[in-house]
Amino acid sequence: MDKIIIHGGRPLAGTVEVSGAKNAALPLMAATLLTPGWHTLHNVPDLRDTRTMLRVLETLGAVWQRHGSTVRIDTTGLTGAEAPYELVKTMRASVLVLGPLLGRCGYARVSLPGGCAIGARPINYHLRGFANLGVSTTLARGYVEARADTRLQGGTIYFDKPSVTGTENVLMAAVTARGTTVIKNAAREPEVGNLVDMLVAMGARIEGRDSDRLLVHGVGGLAPAEATIIPDRIETGTYLIAVAATGGRVRITGCRPDHLPALTDKLRAAGVTIEQDETSFTVSCPEHGGRSSCPLQSVDITTLPYPGFPTDLQAQFMALMVLGNGVSIIHETIFENRFMHVAELQRMGADITIDGASAIVRGVRPERLCGAPVMATDLRASASLVIAGLAAAGETEVSRIYHLERGYEKMEEKLRRLGADIRRVRE
Ligand code: EPU
C-alpha cells in the first residue's frame, strides 16, 4: 500500500487543470447499458472508481476502449444482468447498473452495497422508485433481484430526500417505460443534468432538467450516443480550498465556476480572493507568514443538496477552518457519520469538538498546526488530510491513500506542479 508524504508550509502557485467528474462519469458509463452499439464518452477521468465501473460493465458482457480521456463502450453483447458483491463492495455506485438493466432487459441482480465509512447509505429510495414503475424486487443472499414481467410502466415517484444516484437510477429505468414518469423532489446536482443530456442525446424525452421535478416521456427505442463528462466540481473545490489553506495564487482551468455557488460564497466570506470566468477560477490568499495581518475568517457551513454546500467538500472546508480566526460551526445534514477526519485533524493540532451532527471548529494559529502520521478513512476525508498536511508545519504522512485514488486524478502530480512538497512512497 502506498502513502503520501507532505512537507507543509509552502504556498501554492501556478495553474492546475480539472479532470472530468467522477460522479458524472459513473452514471453516464452505466447509461451505455440502455441500448446496444458503441457509445463515446469524452473527458472520462482515469480513476479507481471509473476502472471499477468498466469492470462491472465487462462482467455484464460489454467491451470498451480508452484513448486518452475518451472511452468508447459497446454494450451489444450483454451476457448477464448481475453486478457481483466483489465489485459492488469496492464501489457502491455499481448499483447504477440497476436502472439501465431494468430498462433494457426487465431484469437485474445486483449485490446490496452494505454500509460505508460515511453512513448506512441504503438504496430503499431506488427500490421504491422502481416499484412505482412496475418492478418487483426481492432480497436473497445479499442480492437485490429486480424484475418486471412486462415493459416498465411510467409512474410517479416522490423522494423523501433528494437522492443523486436514486434520481439517476430511476431516470435510466424510466426513459423506455410506457407512458410518463414524474420524479418529484429529484436531485438537482449538475451530474444529474449531465446524465439527462446524454439520455436526450440517446433519444429520450425528458423535461425539467436542473429542477426538482423531472418528467420522462417513455420512448420505444434509443440509439448509442456521444457525451462529454462535466468538469469535477469537487476536485475544483478541493484545489480552491487548498490554496486558501496554504496561501498563494493559482489559476484553476477547465472547470465550471457556476457549479460551486455555495463554496465560492463561503470562501469569499472567509476573506479569500476569487476571480472567475466561465471556465476558470483564479484564487489567491496571503501566505502563512502574512496571516497575522490578514487572517482567514471563520465561517459556518451547513451541507445541503445542490445548490447548497456539498457534503463532498465538508471535510476539506473543515481543514481550512482549522486555521480560521474565530469559531466555525460545520453542520452535516446529508450523511450521519461524515466526521471521521476530525480525529485525524486533532492529531495535527486542530481544536474541534463534535456535537451530534455539528463540528465546532476553533481556529488555531498556522504555526500550531503540525504534521503527523494520519490515516485516510474515505475519499473526501483523505483530501482534507492532504490539505491540512499542505498547510501544517513539518511532515505529514497520509496512509491508506487508495481512497484518494478513487476520486482524484493525479492529485500528487497536480499539487507538485503547484509547488507542493508531496510524494508517494511504498508503505
Ligand atoms: N438516502 C436514503 N435512501 C436511499 C438513497 C439515499 O436514505 O435510497 C439518503 C442517504 O443516506 C443520504 C441522502 O439520502 O442521507 C442523500 O444521499 P444520495 O442518495 O444523494 O447519495 P448517493 O447518491 O449515494 C452521491 C455521490 C456521493 C455524494 C452524495 C451526496 C455518486 C456516485 N455519489 O451519493 O459522492 O456524497 O451523492 O451528494 O454520485 C463522493 O464522491 O465522495 C461521494 C460520497
Side-chain angles (χ1 to χ4, degrees), residues 74-154:
D74 179 5
T75 60
T76 305
L78 283 198
T79 50
E82 177 171 318
Y85 180 58
E86 294 68 50
L87 292 174
V88 180
K89 75 176 180 198
T90 64
M91 186 186 71
R92 51 185 308 111
S94 311
V95 300
L96 281 167
V97 301
L98 262 172
L101 284 175
L102 281 169
R104 176 152 160 198
C105 321
Y107 174 78
R109 186 167 183 268
V110 171
S111 167
L112 254 193
C116 146
I118 61 176
R121 303 185 72 187
I123 58 162
N124 54 324
Y125 299 171
H126 305 225
L127 302 185
R128 222 169 50 216
F130 296 142
N132 288 340
L133 302 180
V135 175
S136 54
T137 51
T138 49
L139 180 69
R141 293 188 53 77
Y143 279 74
V144 175
E145 242 183 88
R147 188 186 296 275
D149 292 329
T150 54
R151 186 175 159 199
L152 268 55
Q153 177 70 50

Side-chain angles (χ1 to χ4, degrees), residues 22-24 26-27 49 91-93 95-96 116 118-127 159-168 187 189 191 233-234 304-306 310-312 333-336 338 378-380 406-407:
K22 164 180 86 80
N23 289 347
L26 298 174
D49 274 11
M91 186 186 71
R92 51 185 308 111
V95 300
L96 281 167
C116 146
I118 61 176
R121 303 185 72 187
I123 58 162
N124 54 324
Y125 299 171
H126 305 225
L127 302 185
F159 285 118
D160 291 342
K161 287 192 243 172
S163 162
V164 177
T165 50
T167 303
E168 292 164 347
E189 270 68 3
E191 293 76 17
R233 65 196 165 96
I234 305 302
L304 285 170
Y306 190 82
T311 174
D312 289 346
T333 73
I334 308 292
F335 293 115
E336 66 276 17
R338 216 174 195 183
D378 75 80
L379 169 58
R380 309 304 172 186
R406 295 188 52 185

Side-chain angles (χ1 to χ4, degrees), residues 134-252:
V135 175
S136 54
T137 51
T138 49
L139 180 69
R141 293 188 53 77
Y143 279 74
V144 175
E145 242 183 88
R147 188 186 296 275
D149 292 329
T150 54
R151 186 175 159 199
L152 268 55
Q153 177 70 50
T156 297
I157 288 121
Y158 169 78
F159 285 118
D160 291 342
K161 287 192 243 172
S163 162
V164 177
T165 50
T167 303
E168 292 164 347
N169 237 340
V170 172
L171 252 179
M172 290 188 277
V175 285
T176 52
R178 188 178 294 120
T180 297
T181 297
V182 187
I183 308 178
K184 296 180 178 173
N185 205 17
R188 290 180 288 161
E189 270 68 3
E191 293 76 17
V192 178
N194 204 181
L195 176 64
V196 168
D197 288 345
M198 171 160 174
L199 295 173
V200 168
M202 290 168 84
R205 288 180 55 219
I206 303 170
E207 290 174 59
R209 184 188 189 281
D210 297 333
S211 81
D212 62 359
R213 186 172 179 275
L214 292 168
L215 214 63
V216 187
H217 306 286
V219 294
L222 297 166
E226 184 164 354
T228 300
I229 311 298
I230 56 172
D232 197 314
R233 65 196 165 96
I234 305 302
E235 187 195 18
T236 308
T238 301
Y239 290 120
L240 278 171
I241 296 170
V243 180
T246 60
R249 183 181 170 84
V250 169
R251 185 149 181 268
I252 304 173

